[in-house]
């Protein structure tokens, strides 16, 4: 979650609620509890901060009918979060035609000259986006470790996916080279610590600069 303390805003992207039920219809069975677990995690994070507004940055649901498939407990929790935090729901590519009762959806939102939308554009505007599910992949003592991360590059910030079953795209993928500046910072959060990585374009690898509590 990205917090904007001055405005008491929290921004989160790519919950992909009801992904398991979507895949189940296609013969790929996953535990059907991910929506409630994702929402419970989000609620617990928001409770720790003085938040007045929540901005959902797209792909909140895995498909346009995800809200209808929510179990009662998950639907109740979703509705409580939406009401309590005066949520703004920005549409993503997965839920661009979703219809949720009593909830207005947006294609984009602008606050203080900052554009909030689901997918990054290549114009010169300042943007906070999601969509790509960035992750850092590290090799530590022979073990490969993959963790979600934030990307900060010039005027662009890409948020990690928040959902339980979302997967991710390695920040060293050529996809990011095509859409971002060559100088990127990556912020990985794990066990209440923030790990700051910077891409070393000469050595073609990530270097760890800072570890902070």
């Amino acid at each position: 979650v990205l917090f904007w303390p001055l405005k008491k805003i929290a921004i989160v992207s790519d919950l992909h609620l009801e992904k398991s039920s979507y895949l189940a219809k296609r013969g790929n069975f996953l535990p059907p509890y991910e929506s409630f677990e994702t929402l419970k995690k989000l609620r617990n994070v928001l409770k720790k901060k003085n938040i007045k507004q929540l901005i959902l940055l797209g792909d909140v649901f895995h498909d346009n009918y995800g809200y209808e498939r929510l179990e009662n407990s998950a639907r109740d929790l979703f509705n409580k979060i939406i009401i309590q935090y005066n949520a703004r729901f920005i549409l993503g590519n997965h839920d661009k035609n979703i219809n949720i009762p009593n909830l207005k959806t947006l294609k984009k939102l602008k606050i203080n000259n900052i554009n909030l939308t689901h997918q990054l554009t290549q114009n010169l505007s300042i943007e906070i986006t999601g969509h790509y599910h960035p992750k850092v992949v590290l090799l530590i003592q022979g073990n490969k470790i993959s963790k979600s991360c934030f990307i900060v590059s010039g005027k662009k910030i890409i948020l990690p996916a928040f959902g339980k079953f979302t997967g991710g795209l390695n920040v060293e993928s050529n996809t990011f080279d095509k859409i971002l500046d060559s100088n990127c910072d990556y912020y990985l959060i794990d066990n209440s610590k923030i790990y700051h990585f910077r891409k070393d374009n000469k050595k073609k690898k990530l270097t760890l600069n800072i570890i902070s509590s």
Side-chain angles (χ1 to χ4, degrees):
V1 178
L2 180 65
F3 292 104
W4 191 343
L6 188 62
K7 291 190 174 294
K8 299 180 180 179
I9 288 175
I11 307 169
V12 65
S13 189
D14 294 276
L15 276 67
H16 283 269
L17 301 174
E18 289 306 299
K19 182 175 182 178
S20 62
S21 62
Y22 175 87
L23 293 176
K25 287 187 174 183
R26 288 153 178 77
N28 299 306
F29 294 101
L30 295 170
Y33 311 112
E34 104 283 357
S35 292
F36 185 79
E37 291 299 319
T38 296
L39 290 167
K40 184 172 69 173
K41 178 184 174 184
L42 178 60
R43 179 196 60 188
N44 291 340
V45 171
L46 296 176
K47 284 169 62 176
K48 296 177 182 179
K49 303 289 185 179
N50 183 19
I51 296 300
K52 299 297 183 184
Q53 186 174 88
L54 170 65
I55 297 175
L56 298 165
L57 212 55
D59 285 0
V60 180
F61 287 90
H62 192 67
D63 67 285
N64 292 318
Y65 304 99
Y67 180 81
E68 300 170 15
R69 296 197 307 275
L70 283 172
E71 295 290 337
N72 289 338
S73 58
R75 182 181 289 110
D76 289 345
L77 183 52
F78 176 81
N79 291 337
K80 287 177 181 177
I81 291 172
I82 291 296
I83 294 170
Q84 181 178 353
Y85 295 103
N86 187 28
R88 312 292 293 274
F89 190 119
I90 294 172
L91 298 170
N93 57 296
H94 277 262
D95 50 15
K96 61 182 176 182
N97 294 313
I98 200 165
N99 182 25
I100 300 174
N102 303 313
L103 180 63
K104 181 181 179 181
T105 57
L106 307 165
K107 291 185 178 180
K108 59 183 178 180
L109 181 64
K110 192 170 186 176
I111 303 175
N112 284 22
N113 205 37
I114 297 174
N115 293 304
L116 296 108
T117 186
H118 178 63
Q119 188 170 351
L120 177 145
T121 68
Q122 291 183 291
N123 60 35
L124 298 178
S125 64
I126 302 171
E127 290 182 324
I128 298 175
T129 63
H131 182 66
Y132 289 100
H133 306 192
K135 66 178 182 179
V136 172
V137 179
L138 304 170
L139 190 64
I140 300 177
Q141 295 180 344
N143 297 312
K144 184 179 286 188
I145 298 174
S146 174
K147 292 288 184 179
S148 297
C149 71
F150 295 79
I151 301 179
V152 180
S153 175
K155 295 181 178 180
K156 312 293 184 181
I157 296 177
I158 302 178
L159 271 63
F162 191 86
K164 190 173 180 65
F165 290 155
T166 48
L169 180 64
N170 190 336
V171 297
E172 296 186 87
S173 165
N174 290 334
T175 298
F176 292 113
D177 292 335
K178 295 175 183 177
I179 62 174
L180 294 171
D181 295 339
S182 58
N183 296 319
C184 292
D185 291 281
Y186 310 102
Y187 295 90
L188 182 158
I189 300 173
D190 185 53
N191 294 327
S192 299
K193 291 185 178 180
I194 300 174
Y195 298 80
H196 172 213
F197 295 85
R198 173 170 280 271
K199 189 171 184 180
D200 188 330
N201 290 313
K202 292 182 179 179
K203 296 181 180 180
K204 300 297 182 181
K205 66 178 183 179
L206 299 179
T207 58
L208 176 61
N209 292 336
I210 304 169
I211 302 177
S212 60
S213 298

